[in-house]
Amino acid sequence: MALWGGIEAGGTKFVCAVGTGPDDIRHEIRYPTGSPDETLATAVEFFKLRGPADAVGIASFGPIDPNPASSAYGHITTTPKEGWANVDFVGAVQSALDVPVGFDTDVNAAALGEWKWGAAQGLDTFLYLTVGTGIGGGGLANGKPMRGLLHPEMGHIALPRDPSVDPFEGVCPYHGDCLEGLASGPAIQARWGTPVEELLDEHPAWELEAHYLGAALASFICVLSPQRIVLGGGVMKHAPLIRAVRKETRARLNGYIQSPAILEEMERYIAAPALGDRSGVLGAIALAQGAAS
Amino acid sequence: MALWGGIEAGGTKFVCAVGTGPDDIRHEIRYPTGSPDETLATAVEFFKLRGPADAVGIASFGPIDPNPASSAYGHITTTPKEGWANVDFVGAVQSALDVPVGFDTDVNAAALGEWKWGAAQGLDTFLYLTVGTGIGGGGLANGKPMRGLLHPEMGHIALPRDPSVDPFEGVCPYHGDCLEGLASGPAIQARWGTPVEELLDEHPAWELEAHYLGAALASFICVLSPQRIVLGGGVMKHAPLIRAVRKETRARLNGYIQSPAILEEMERYIAAPALGDRSGVLGAIALAQGAAS
């Protein structure tokens, strides 16, 4: 039976695993992201020691070039993360391990994991959104990973902000008060002076967070018409938040989208990831499986 | 050689045509949208007289149910337009003419027309946006018409609005100052008291219109990563507007999306429809062709 390798490549940590699915992860390591050379060498060594994997999937932080027809395919492209711009991620892994390599954004991969084993099974157009250090979205559109010119950058949509309610101007270096600028973990910490994990349940931060996420989700629904939205990431670990986001999303749509999924089944429509923290690395394993077939 | 029929069904007028493509429209009629019975009878009579068409495509105003697996497939669903809610559009045409019938939103059909014969040839993920009496978006995602839970309703995304610059609260009965509420033809007329077609080139309406459309397009780019955006509809007939929209879209993205298409080739990236006013009815003919195959 084939064995798959998965790399979840984040800006702060890497997770590598070998296995065949959620109930069969044979080995796993987690380590901080360092320079590209040493970080990729650790991954390669892990797969040599713990494999051999028949194929490896990479779920990468971005921006990346996921277009196989492009000369920069397989690269991380313009990231501000030191040393990582223009790194040929796929090339490095492929030449070291000599197996097929699958490659996509961390969020498209997480979506794929949820599609294969989690909260998005059977759907062909859905959204996976992660709300954490950054805000990113991916998913499937018409049964395939969302791509196009490059890949979605959903954290950077513009949102209404009423300065009399929220004078905070946002932390995005490009757009100030875009979604990520207003509602990512660092934005919450900068606005309130408290790290997200220390905010109490009754802190007004949560109501404002739900307000912005609800406005964003309503816009994503208008643009993509997803069959479901899976909401992951560190900020969503605050359990009451998803309920408040459902309410705000529905309030914002105001009955315009006449679908039972939105009008009656919001609990299922906006869902937590069934794979929890493991959507990403399991998605990478799903990418490996796809690359081998 | 096969002959195709197309119906472009708008809230104010219907266009029916038979032909095989942009250079071969054999017959065409345009008439105001009345009650469903008389309006569809006129279409059916036209195809009986001027056909027979081997298949008919319907490019319809919405919301519609475009999902062939649904019990309401082929219906216009919840429109406020009197008499038209829950009309079985496909059923009526199919039973009267006994040919295959294709069915999609007016904007998905227009996108299909532009893909087949116009400004979106060769692309598999792109956006067609119409700015007129309403604002609607469609297109292809991964090579197929954009669908999902229902179909996109892109005119209803939320946008930032600074009341000190634009105190106008919008005309959307559901959302007030969503994109359609702020930037559709009726919104422009309500804000300035002048119909769009009478606004002079130097009127401040155009700068504000470009501002909102640019913000919307930047968000669409972040969500969909389209390979191109085709901008049609009555409001876009004001020739200088598209140039201003390109500028505002680029300003809003602020260099974040590092693609030559956006950074260097904006003239091509945000394009006028190559089929002009005929994207819709030609798209309907393309739908007919698809339904027959």
Side-chain angles (χ1 to χ4, degrees), chain A residues 1-5 18-20 47 51-57 97-101 288-289 291-293:
Chain A
M1 196 180 160
L3 194 63
W4 314 114
V18 292
T20 63
F47 290 115
D54 295 273
V56 171
L97 295 174
D98 197 23
V99 293
V101 175
Q289 219 169 331
S293 64

Side-chain angles (χ1 to χ4, degrees), chain A residues 8-26:
Chain A
E8 183 186 5
T12 56
K13 75 169 194 296
F14 265 52
V15 183
C16 300
V18 292
T20 63
D23 304 322
D24 176 34
I25 292 295
R26 314 229 180 131

Side-chain angles (χ1 to χ4, degrees), chain A residues 63 78 125 140-154 156-161 173-175 177 215 219-227 252-259 261-262 269, chain B residues 63 78 125 140-154 156-161 173-175 177 215 219-227 252-259 261-262 269:
Chain A
T78 55
T125 295
L140 300 194
N142 285 320
K144 293 187 200 166
M146 287 182 185
R147 294 213 185 124
L149 186 65
L150 298 165
H151 49 74
E153 287 285 359
M154 298 194 200
H156 295 271
I157 65 164
L159 288 181
R161 175 175 64 87
Y174 290 89
H175 314 113
D177 61 355
S219 283
F220 295 146
I221 290 168
C222 290
V223 181
L224 295 167
S225 195
Q227 294 158 327
R252 176 62 79 156
L253 289 171
N254 197 23
Y256 184 71
I257 310 282
Q258 291 275 331
S259 162
I262 289 172
Y269 186 69
Chain B
T78 56
T125 295
L140 299 194
N142 285 321
K144 292 187 199 167
M146 287 181 185
R147 295 212 184 123
L149 186 65
L150 297 166
H151 49 73
E153 288 284 358
M154 299 194 200
H156 296 272
I157 65 166
L159 287 181
R161 175 175 64 87
Y174 290 89
H175 314 114
D177 61 356
S219 283
F220 295 145
I221 290 168
C222 290
V223 181
L224 295 167
S225 194
Q227 295 158 325
R252 175 63 79 156
L253 290 171
N254 197 23
Y256 183 71
I257 310 283
Q258 291 274 333
S259 162
I262 288 172
Y269 185 70

Side-chain angles (χ1 to χ4, degrees), chain A:
Chain A
M1 196 180 160
L3 194 63
W4 314 114
I7 303 175
E8 183 186 5
T12 56
K13 75 169 194 296
F14 265 52
V15 183
C16 300
V18 292
T20 63
D23 304 322
D24 176 34
I25 292 295
R26 314 229 180 131
H27 305 280
E28 186 170 301
I29 49 166
R30 298 168 173 256
Y31 54 99
T33 308
S35 74
D37 282 355
E38 63 176 327
T39 308
L40 299 189
T42 305
V44 162
E45 198 187 355
F46 168 78
F47 290 115
K48 283 188 170 159
L49 216 72
R50 299 304 192 180
D54 295 273
V56 171
I58 301 170
S60 181
F61 69 101
I64 64 168
D65 188 333
N67 175 8
S70 158
S71 64
Y73 169 71
H75 289 58
I76 291 179
T77 56
T78 55
T79 178
K81 192 169 170 61
E82 208 192 315
W84 284 87
N86 306 313
V87 162
D88 181 3
F89 204 152
V90 168
V93 172
Q94 203 156 39
S95 68
L97 295 174
D98 197 23
V99 293
V101 175
F103 185 59
D104 215 324
T105 59
D106 43 8
V107 278
N108 267 351
L112 195 63
E114 290 291 330
W115 175 79
K116 211 171 168 84
W117 295 298
Q121 291 178 57
L123 305 179
D124 66 4
T125 295
F126 71 91
L127 169 60
Y128 175 94
L129 194 79
T130 178
V131 185
T133 312
I135 296 185
L140 300 194
N142 285 320
K144 293 187 200 166
M146 287 182 185
R147 294 213 185 124
L149 186 65
L150 298 165
H151 49 74
E153 287 285 359
M154 298 194 200
H156 295 271
I157 65 164
L159 288 181
R161 175 175 64 87
D162 179 348
S164 71
V165 174
D166 179 20
F168 181 68
E169 292 184 349
V171 297
C172 175
Y174 290 89
H175 314 113
D177 61 355
C178 64
L179 170 59
E180 182 170 294
L182 290 172
S184 61
I188 299 172
Q189 174 156 1
R191 183 190 287 108
W192 304 101
T194 310
V196 173
E197 50 281 7
E198 293 173 21
L199 289 171
L200 301 178
D201 281 10
E202 58 274 21
H203 196 285
W206 297 116
E207 192 183 327
L208 192 64
E209 182 71 5
H211 168 78
Y212 287 129
L213 291 177
L217 263 53
S219 283
F220 295 146
I221 290 168
C222 290
V223 181
L224 295 167
S225 195
Q227 294 158 327
R228 192 166 298 159
I229 296 175
V230 182
L231 264 186
V235 172
M236 295 310 302
K237 291 195 173 169
H238 179 71
L241 181 57
I242 195 167
R243 289 195 293 279
V245 170
R246 290 184 188 118
K247 209 176 132 196
E248 289 285 335
T249 305
R250 190 150 47 188
R252 176 62 79 156
L253 289 171
N254 197 23
Y256 184 71
I257 310 282
Q258 291 275 331
S259 162
I262 289 172
L263 300 176
E264 296 153 27
E265 300 153 23
M266 199 50 132
E267 300 286 304
R268 238 159 56 106
Y269 186 69
I270 297 179
L275 304 175
D277 278 346
R278 317 189 79 197
S279 313
V281 73
L282 286 164
I285 282 178
L287 283 174
Q289 219 169 331
S293 64

